[in-house]
Amino acid sequence: MTPTPVEINLHDDVVLRSLRTEDAAALAEAYRVNSEYLAPFEPLRPANFTTEAGQRTEIAALAANREAGTALPLVLAHGSRIIGRITLSAITRGAFQSGNLGYWIDRSYAGRGLMTAAVNEISRLAADELQLHRIQAGTLVDNVASQTVLRKCGFTEFGLAPRYLLIAGRWQDHRLFQKILTR
């Protein structure tokens, strides 16, 4: 099930919308500007990741996953500037009907409620458009800001996963959260 294109005004001209091929340059710039800020929360990236060509490759892979129905990649945009990403990935059908949520926001836009609004919207899309039963998100143990967003959006913590993901060059523990979308 491929979702329809998304474009939702979140607040003050910040739009949550589908990731597009033409976002490559703006997304590369967003990653360059925020590379130091995001480094503690992300996997180590190849050298070309913060280039337009590197982002074209990333976007092509995400677009293929979107067409296959296994991902919903979105961006937060303020005018022509990309200020964040939110992606529902590893969408699994059958008896599971679930997906994994990941997101980040530009340092200068953090703390304004924009990611909370975006997580609420992607949760709604996951339920209404994708007809998922559940979405899951993992945060580093000390990432209180992300945990706060998830809790505000109705996610509940359900476990601790030791050495869960290779982040910043080392296997790190994560708190696991879920939101049940169907009754």
Side-chain angles (χ1 to χ4, degrees), residues 79-150:
S80 62
R81 183 176 177 197
I82 301 295
I83 62 163
R85 276 205 35 213
I86 183 167
T87 301
L88 196 56
S89 63
I91 295 171
T92 305
R93 295 296 179 178
F96 199 38
Q97 297 295 328
S98 186
N100 289 315
L101 181 65
Y103 53 85
W104 63 266
I105 193 159
D106 184 292
R107 171 186 280 174
S108 64
Y109 287 81
R112 298 184 189 183
L114 293 168
M115 193 50 73
T116 298
V119 170
N120 277 327
E121 286 297 334
I122 205 166
S123 297
R124 184 187 60 74
L125 291 166
D128 297 346
E129 295 238 354
L130 300 176
Q131 299 176 344
L132 295 180
H133 167 66
R134 159 188 189 280
I135 51 179
Q136 174 179 310
T139 73
L140 289 169
V141 172
D142 60 353
N143 188 346
V144 175
S146 191
Q147 293 163 20
T148 299
V149 167
L150 293 170

Side-chain angles (χ1 to χ4, degrees), residues 8-16 76-79 81 83 114:
I8 301 164
N9 188 14
L10 293 178
H11 182 67
D12 290 339
D13 299 324
V14 174
V15 175
L16 176 68
L76 285 84
H78 189 198
R81 183 176 177 197
I83 62 163
L114 293 168

Side-chain angles (χ1 to χ4, degrees), residues 154-166:
F155 283 72
T156 57
E157 186 175 346
F158 71 94
L160 178 69
R163 298 172 45 97
Y164 185 61
L165 292 174
L166 186 60

Side-chain angles (χ1 to χ4, degrees), residues 45-58:
R45 304 290 192 180
N48 75 339
F49 185 78
T50 59
T51 67
E52 184 174 349
Q55 285 306 301
R56 282 194 189 285
T57 300
E58 290 289 317

Side-chain angles (χ1 to χ4, degrees), residues 158-180:
F158 71 94
L160 178 69
R163 298 172 45 97
Y164 185 61
L165 292 174
L166 186 60
I167 300 295
R170 56 185 232 275
W171 291 100
Q172 297 197 46
D173 299 350
H174 280 65
R175 294 189 188 281
L176 301 179
F177 292 80
Q178 69 179 355
K179 184 173 186 177
I180 305 299

